Amino acid sequence: MTMELRRCMTLDDSSAENKLVLEQEELRAPTAAEMGFDKEPFRLGTLSIVVLGATGDLAKKETFPALLDLLAHEYLPSHVAIVGVGRTKQDTNSFREWLQSWLVKSFAGQMKRCKEAMPSFMKKVSYFSANYDSKEDFARLAVALETEETQMFLDGIGKEVPTEANRVFYFAIPPFAFLAAASSIKSTCLSTTGFNRLIIEKPFGHDLTSAKKLATDLGALYKEENLLRMDHFLGYEICQNILSVRFGNAFLEPLMNRNHVAAVRVTLKEDFGTEGRGGYFTHYGIIRDVIQNHLLQMVTLVAMEKPCNVGGDIRDAKVAVLKAMLDADPEEVILGQFTAANGKPGYLEDDSIAEKDREKAKYCATFAQLVLRINNDRWWGVPFIIRAGKGLEESKCEVRIQFKESHTDPRLFKEECPRNELVMKVSPHEAIYFKFNMKQPGLSQGVTTTELDLSYNHRYEEIYRPLAYTRLILSGVRGEQESFVRDDELIRAWEIFSPLLDKIENGKKEVLKYPFGSRGPAAQMPFTSGMDPKPSAAPHMGGSAPRPSGRRKALLIGVNYFGTRAELRGCINDVHNLYRLLTETYGWPSHAVRTLTDDGRGNGGMPTRQNITQHMQWLSDGAQAGDVLFFSFSGHGAQQEDPHGYEEDGMNETILPVDFERAGMMTDDEISDLMVKSLPEGVRLTGIMDCCHSGSGLDLPFTWDPRRGMWREAVNPFHCMGDVLMFSGCEDDDTSSDAASMYSAPGGAMTTAFCDVLRRNPSPIYPQLLQMLHQHLSRGGFSQRPVLSSTQQFSLDRPFSFDDIHPNMNPQLGRIFRQKFPPRPRAMSGPLADMLGPLGMLAGGLVVGALAGEVLEGGFGLLGALF
Ligand SMILES: NC(=O)C1=CN([C@@H]2O[C@H](COP(=O)(O)OP(=O)(O)OC[C@H]3O[C@@H](n4cnc5c(N)ncnc54)[C@H](OP(=O)(O)O)[C@@H]3O)[C@@H](O)[C@H]2O)C=CC1
Ligand SMILES: O=C1O[C@H](COP(=O)(O)O)[C@@H](O)[C@H](O)[C@H]1O
């Protein structure tokens, strides 16, 4: 029997696959004794399984079929009673009649064994009518259970006499009835001689607050060990197999990390709509329905560390993944809702949506795509792209682990080798396959991708593989906690999703329409392809990144050049702004931050040439692996001739200390000598240069090219060990601007953008950060483009963090000299040029001045014009 056949399969369904299943005579299933169940408590005592909500959809489609399957395979003890409970008034006979006709029609015909077991199963089923909040009704239920149990006990005399009465209460009722039912059971229905377990179906709350309340309320009644929260995806064969595949194959586990995995995609597509569940769905939406629970469970199984044993350790390992998971970014979420198409109604046409909920329904997502990120050593920077939707072009559920491209040397391969992928397909046809590259068979030397394929239907056609509910109910009666969701796991899952749901629901994030039967909203396509990381061209030379040591230092320099003709207004404010960003947003200690400002108020003194030099030395002195440094300069920048001809425009970039007229400018070569070249591997320095001609202000070897999506190496790069990253206000041949935020003091355009963007989202992925910086600048009317340069070519598909240290990847250290460039000075005029006089060959100035007060739409505007 295949898993995808489990729901509502009718005997007259004539698809080829159904025929195949119907013809199936017997599947090989181990006996309870072979499985070692026979000495377990649930087999030794009597077992009463009480199904609350017995008349409902879940009980009919999943719970009772699973119980029949378990009984047919003799996994349940012979002393078992199955009691359906519902508010509906009916007797056992009419319930049995209804249930049997449903089971025969939809389920039992699929397997000879179930068909044969039907009469004995039905004898064990009874029905009891009760209101879930009535203690009296449950007191009567207790009497009924005791009567059944006594009878089973008497039946056992002379044979295998049961010694204990064990009870399992299965909650197939709406969530608002959970607590009343749990309380009624507690008051009268618990067995005093055996175990009592409650199996509860999702949803476990609607958000963090309600989930916590439910956990507290249930926790007041029952111990955690008695509560089994069912997530049926944990019962799927493939999900159960993830552990063995990952940790049972020595070749695979070393690849399961950020060094080798480019992205992980977890997808649940359904080709049907809400079909009568629109009422429920309007209040939940697709993220609560399947992402926050089922798909998140799959993510944790794929991402968790190796547990020591199969007990509680698995749940500890899953919780650890959830703890390391960052809040999902609403900017990376795409929501959709299906509309009528291909002869199918749209979501809003679902009759089960109440009239009062019609407005709410317009914002209900039936499709969502989002990105989860796990901030630990193993998965840092690997996007977990989650996609789920109803009314799509197909039904499938899978995990796809996409590995990074191998470096394809054109001397060896004519074309690039596609990525390897490990695919774990949960449905429709269970399979695990590995996409790998090989030579095209035959005379060709070309490369082709093929699959190492384990399709269960071919390989294990005859082996009994229980359905998710069958497996989990058996786990429940056996007390296998690890197959269920623990309370802390659940609460952490809500902690991750509640803020996101608040943001997208309160912000009324746009829900894009897509036609029923399509692949979902069109917007998802470019979005996900943008996630695909590019291969890194250089081999990895260093070891793994060190953990941050906790030691931090920052040097913030702001020069306004008070009283000069080249006076600026925003540079000291930049220092204050960055100081607040570091200490308030990122929690840097204030004593770690030195400030040099020419109002004399900085804790490091005036930004003179000598003092800047000393502080740059202070910054890099004694730095050790794991240390995290920050440097910023806001002021005038200029250029002067590069005596070596290393620079591509033949010009060194310079910064201007407050005393530049007397003491001279500082070149990028000097700055690099002081702060960059000496850094050992594993030290991270992030720099911001908010001045003209700052693109290569730290003379770093790699610059990110956003148009081509790759790092560009300088012609004559200087490679070093440290991890230095710089955001500069503009390119070498460009000028930076002074800006004013709408509500605050003037500041450099780049610094203002950097602080504003990171305050809003302290860990965006790099492409997002660069895009947001650019948007921030262009909204303010600035044409300057932020430039990202680095000592290491790291993959940009990771969240920005000051603490994210990249190991050295440069195979060759020091200067690579390829070509000498003649100086190409740019003409300049204005007060700064006058002041520089013979100092700078030619220099650029920062935008200052005249248009003070002008505020543009995007929140800040130009304060001045270039001079
Ligand atoms: N259906 C499914 O496929 C899935 C369902 N679930 C969850 O399982 C639980 C049951 O789902 P499902 O079977 O679809 O639900 P139903 O709406 O079919 O309700 C189940 C039973 O609960 C009783 N019930 C209904 N309304 C109320 C009420 N207002 N107060 C008290 N009892 C009521 C009814 O029995 P009676 O009137 O006889 O008392 C009904 O037969 C829910 O928590 C659901 O979210 C989880 C996964 C999948
Ligand atoms: O819990 C639920 O899961 C199903 C998807 O699970 P499957 O086992 O049927 O693939 C989903 O359709 C339903 O909306 C959701 O409530």
Side-chain angles (χ1 to χ4, degrees):
M1 183 169 59
T2 56
M3 180 162 42
E4 57 276 14
L5 287 169
R6 78 205 178 291
R7 283 190 181 174
C8 305
M9 184 62 60
T10 55
L11 281 176
D12 52 5
D13 192 327
S14 57
S15 73
E17 178 132 39
N18 297 350
K19 278 194 182 135
L20 181 84
V21 172
L22 294 179
E23 281 160 15
Q24 195 112 48
E25 278 300 290
E26 204 47 82
L27 296 170
R28 264 191 294 126
T31 64
E34 280 167 355
M35 293 298 296
F37 299 160
D38 43 345
K39 297 287 176 286
E40 291 188 14
F42 83 98
R43 301 261 324 173
L44 297 179
T46 62
L47 180 63
S48 298
I49 301 179
V50 181
V51 181
L52 309 178
T55 54
D57 184 67
L58 176 74
K60 174 174 90 166
K61 289 199 294 207
E62 306 286 5
T63 321
F64 285 111
L67 291 172
L68 168 61
D69 194 4
L70 287 173
L71 192 101
H73 285 90
E74 296 176 5
Y75 291 140
L76 294 181
S78 50
H79 319 295
V80 65
I82 297 168
V83 184
V85 175
R87 296 171 310 169
T88 310
K89 302 261 181 283
Q90 60 179 324
D91 61 17
T92 291
N93 282 341
S94 56
F95 180 73
R96 281 183 182 163
E97 211 173 290
W98 166 80
L99 182 62
Q100 178 160 346
S101 78
W102 162 261
L103 289 174
V104 167
K105 188 168 74 142
S106 65
F107 185 80
Q110 293 175 27
M111 268 199 299
K112 193 171 160 234
R113 241 191 225 196
C114 289
K115 211 171 178 177
E116 286 170 359
M118 186 69 78
S120 61
F121 177 74
M122 279 303 153
K123 273 197 208 142
K124 295 184 184 294
V125 171
S126 59
Y127 180 80
F128 192 88
S129 168
N131 282 318
Y132 304 112
D133 57 358
S134 165
K135 304 264 184 303
E136 296 73 36
D137 286 356
F138 276 73
R140 284 192 301 106
L141 173 62
V143 174
L145 289 175
E146 276 156 28
T147 310
E148 288 275 1
E149 284 157 1
T150 308
Q151 189 56 50
M152 286 190 280
F153 178 79
L154 293 174
D155 289 350
I157 291 176
K159 298 181 229 158
E160 193 188 328
V161 182
T163 51
E164 293 165 350
N166 299 313
R167 293 182 187 169
V168 171
F169 299 89
Y170 188 104
F171 281 42
I173 46 175
F176 51 80
F178 281 5
L179 207 59
S183 169
S184 301
I185 292 167
K186 166 98 181 182
S187 64
T188 50
C189 269
L190 296 181
S191 164
T192 49
T193 59
F195 62 70
N196 292 286
R197 292 184 187 133
L198 273 60
I199 300 182
I200 307 176
E201 274 280 353
K202 70 159 240 273
F204 313 117
H206 182 265
D207 54 17
L208 182 59
T209 314
S210 54
K212 275 186 173 166
K213 177 158 177 13
L214 181 63
T216 313
D217 291 347
L218 285 175
L221 296 171
Y222 296 95
K223 287 192 186 139
E224 177 63 19
E225 69 211 42
N226 300 119
L227 295 172
L228 302 172
R229 294 174 200 84
M230 162 105 86
D231 185 309
H232 74 275
F233 273 48
L234 289 175
Y236 277 146
E237 181 69 38
I238 294 291
C239 295
Q240 296 243 330
N241 198 359
I242 293 175
L243 198 73
S244 310
V245 168
R246 279 193 58 197
F247 301 114
N249 293 296
F251 79 92
L252 184 59
E253 184 49 14
L255 303 181
M256 292 287 288
N257 55 53
R258 67 194 180 98
N259 294 329
H260 301 284
V261 176
V264 177
R265 290 169 189 270
V266 180
T267 305
L268 172 62
K269 288 177 163 192
E270 294 178 323
D271 62 4
F272 50 88
T274 42
E275 290 169 8
R277 294 177 73 216
Y280 150 82
F281 216 80
T282 303
H283 293 283
Y284 283 82
I286 195 80
I287 296 181
R288 288 188 183 86
D289 187 44
V290 294
I291 296 183
Q292 181 269 353
N293 35 60
H294 305 325
L295 301 193
L296 190 63
Q297 285 293 337
M298 289 168 73
V299 169
T300 57
L301 290 171
V302 169
M304 71 182 185
E305 295 303 317
K306 187 177 185 171
C308 299
N309 60 46
V310 290
D313 261 17
I314 293 183
R315 300 206 289 186
D316 290 343
K318 282 161 64 191
V319 171
V321 172
L322 295 175
K323 282 189 177 159
M325 201 171 274
L326 301 171
D327 286 357
D329 181 351
E331 295 291 321
E332 292 186 321
V333 176
I334 292 170
L335 301 177
Q337 186 183 87
F338 64 83
T339 54
N342 301 312
K344 299 282 185 180
Y347 171 66
L348 294 177
E349 277 97 68
D350 190 322
D351 293 340
S352 57
I353 302 173
E355 222 29 66
K356 65 175 175 48
D357 292 335
R358 290 271 151 200
E359 185 56 26
K360 189 177 167 76
K362 288 185 192 158
Y363 298 99
C364 175
T366 58
F367 173 97
Q369 178 180 284
L370 51 90
V371 182
L372 295 175
R373 294 173 196 285
I374 301 169
N375 202 1
N376 63 16
D377 286 351
R378 187 192 277 270
W379 294 114
W380 210 347
V382 179
F384 283 70
I385 301 162
I386 316 296
R387 200 161 19 142
K390 291 184 182 289
L392 298 177
E393 87 287 12
E394 60 173 336
S395 280
K396 76 168 181 187
C397 178
E398 66 179 25
V399 179
R400 198 168 275 267
I401 297 159
Q402 300 185 309
F403 292 93
K404 294 186 174 173
E405 283 94 344
S406 49
H407 173 56
T408 38
D409 188 330
R411 290 168 300 182
L412 188 60
F413 295 112
K414 284 209 185 69
E415 62 258 69
E416 287 209 341
C417 292
R419 282 176 175 173
N420 299 114
E421 287 186 353
L422 175 62
V423 183
M424 302 199 221
K425 201 161 166 212
V426 175
S427 63
H429 305 287
E430 294 159 304
I432 296 180
Y433 58 90
F434 195 76
K435 288 170 79 170
F436 84 128
N437 301 313
M438 56 175 269
K439 187 188 87 60
Q440 282 172 17
L443 293 177
S444 166
Q445 283 302 318
V447 172
T448 184
T449 302
T450 186
E451 286 163 6
L452 294 178
D453 187 2
L454 163 61
S455 287
Y456 279 58
N457 285 352
H458 299 144
R459 187 81 174 82
Y460 297 118
E461 193 188 3
E462 290 161 12
I463 305 251
Y464 166 70
R465 302 190 303 279
L467 302 178
Y469 277 83
T470 309
R471 191 192 300 269
L472 288 181
I473 292 175
L474 181 59
S475 287
V477 298
R478 296 185 64 215
E480 288 178 329
Q481 299 274 347
E482 65 273 14
S483 300
F484 296 86
V485 181
R486 205 167 61 191
D487 55 350
D488 53 345
E489 203 177 341
L490 170 72
I491 297 301
R492 180 61 199 139
W494 278 119
E495 278 172 1
I496 294 165
F497 278 92
S498 270
L500 175 75
L501 287 161
D502 280 352
K503 282 179 203 150
I504 59 184
E505 286 169 0
N506 295 339
K508 296 236 182 319
K509 189 174 171 86
E510 191 182 2
V511 179
L512 306 165
K513 301 287 182 212
Y514 61 94
F516 192 107
S518 69
R519 299 182 66 198
Q524 70 185 294
M525 313 311 167
F527 177 76
T528 42
S529 60
M531 282 286 161
D532 295 352
K534 299 285 176 290
S536 103
H540 184 278
M541 302 305 290
S544 57
R547 283 175 183 283
S549 62
R551 281 185 299 271
R552 292 154 190 259
K553 280 188 199 174
L555 173 59
L556 314 179
I557 304 170
V559 198
N560 275 2
Y561 313 93
F562 290 114
T564 72
R565 282 169 295 156
E567 186 172 329
L568 296 173
R569 296 175 53 183
C571 301
I572 296 178
N573 291 336
D574 283 346
V575 167
H576 297 155
N577 203 1
L578 285 164
Y579 178 90
R580 284 197 306 276
L581 180 80
L582 292 176
T583 55
E584 291 169 13
T585 307
Y586 290 96
W588 287 42
S590 51
H591 63 76
V593 187
R594 288 277 172 93
T595 57
L596 311 186
T597 52
D598 61 343
D599 57 2
R601 293 186 181 167
N603 61 10
M606 291 291 280
T608 59
R609 192 179 204 293
Q610 189 187 16
N611 203 20
I612 291 176
T613 306
Q614 280 170 358
H615 274 87
M616 287 182 172
Q617 266 160 356
W618 163 82
L619 190 69
S620 58
D621 258 357
Q624 294 169 23
D627 290 2
V628 173
L629 314 175
F630 182 84
F631 165 77
S632 77
F633 177 82
S634 292
H636 281 300
Q639 291 186 310
Q640 71 182 31
E641 191 176 325
D642 171 16
H644 310 289
Y646 294 145
E647 301 264 1
E648 278 150 65
D649 57 2
M651 304 297 289
N652 273 331
E653 279 60 58
T654 62
I655 60 170
L656 275 62
V658 66
D659 56 349
F660 68 92
E661 286 177 285
R662 185 174 50 80
M665 305 192 280
M666 292 181 78
T667 67
D668 48 4
D669 288 349
E670 277 176 87
I671 297 172
S672 173
D673 283 344
L674 287 164
M675 290 195 307
V676 177
K677 292 178 184 162
S678 57
L679 290 182
E681 182 174 25
V683 175
R684 164 72 178 265
L685 166 64
T686 306
I688 296 271
M689 290 189 93
D690 204 351
C691 54
C692 296
H693 310 294
S694 51
S696 64
L698 286 182
D699 232 355
L700 304 181
F702 299 106
T703 303
W704 180 253
D705 181 344
R707 278 172 290 269
R708 299 176 63 206
M710 59 192 293
W711 290 103
R712 189 182 67 77
E713 190 183 25
V715 176
N716 301 313
F718 191 96
H719 290 301
C720 43
M721 296 288 278
D723 176 22
V724 184
L725 197 69
M726 188 179 75
F727 295 88
S728 41
C730 59
E731 294 173 10
D732 282 349
D733 58 358
D734 203 351
T735 52
S736 268
S737 312
D738 232 353
S741 121
M742 191 183 292
Y743 304 109
S744 58
M750 173 64 194
T751 309
T752 308
F754 188 79
C755 293
D756 284 0
V757 162
L758 288 181
R759 264 190 201 105
R760 250 182 273 138
N761 178 359
S763 51
I765 53 166
Y766 280 88
Q768 221 189 342
L769 175 57
L770 290 175
Q771 195 192 3
M772 288 190 294
L773 289 174
H774 179 55
Q775 280 168 354
H776 198 289
L777 289 166
S778 59
R779 274 206 307 272
F782 300 111
S783 58
Q784 69 194 63
R785 272 195 167 267
V787 177
L788 173 65
S789 55
S790 174
T791 49
Q792 309 295 337
Q793 294 182 87
F794 62 95
S795 163
L796 253 61
D797 62 355
R798 59 203 302 144
F800 166 80
S801 156
F802 291 108
D803 297 352
D804 179 10
I805 304 173
H806 313 118
N808 174 50
M809 290 184 274
N810 298 312
Q812 188 179 331
L813 297 175
R815 177 77 65 190
I816 300 175
F817 186 59
R818 296 177 175 124
Q819 186 183 341
K820 187 169 170 141
F821 294 96
R824 283 192 285 119
R826 274 175 282 274
M828 179 198 159
S829 60
L832 183 62
D834 293 344
M835 287 175 71
L836 281 168
L839 261 177
M841 277 290 297
L842 288 163
L846 217 139
V847 180
V848 288
L851 303 175
E854 180 181 340
V855 175
L856 299 185
E857 238 183 43
F860 66 93
L862 283 175
L863 271 178
L866 183 66
F867 65 99

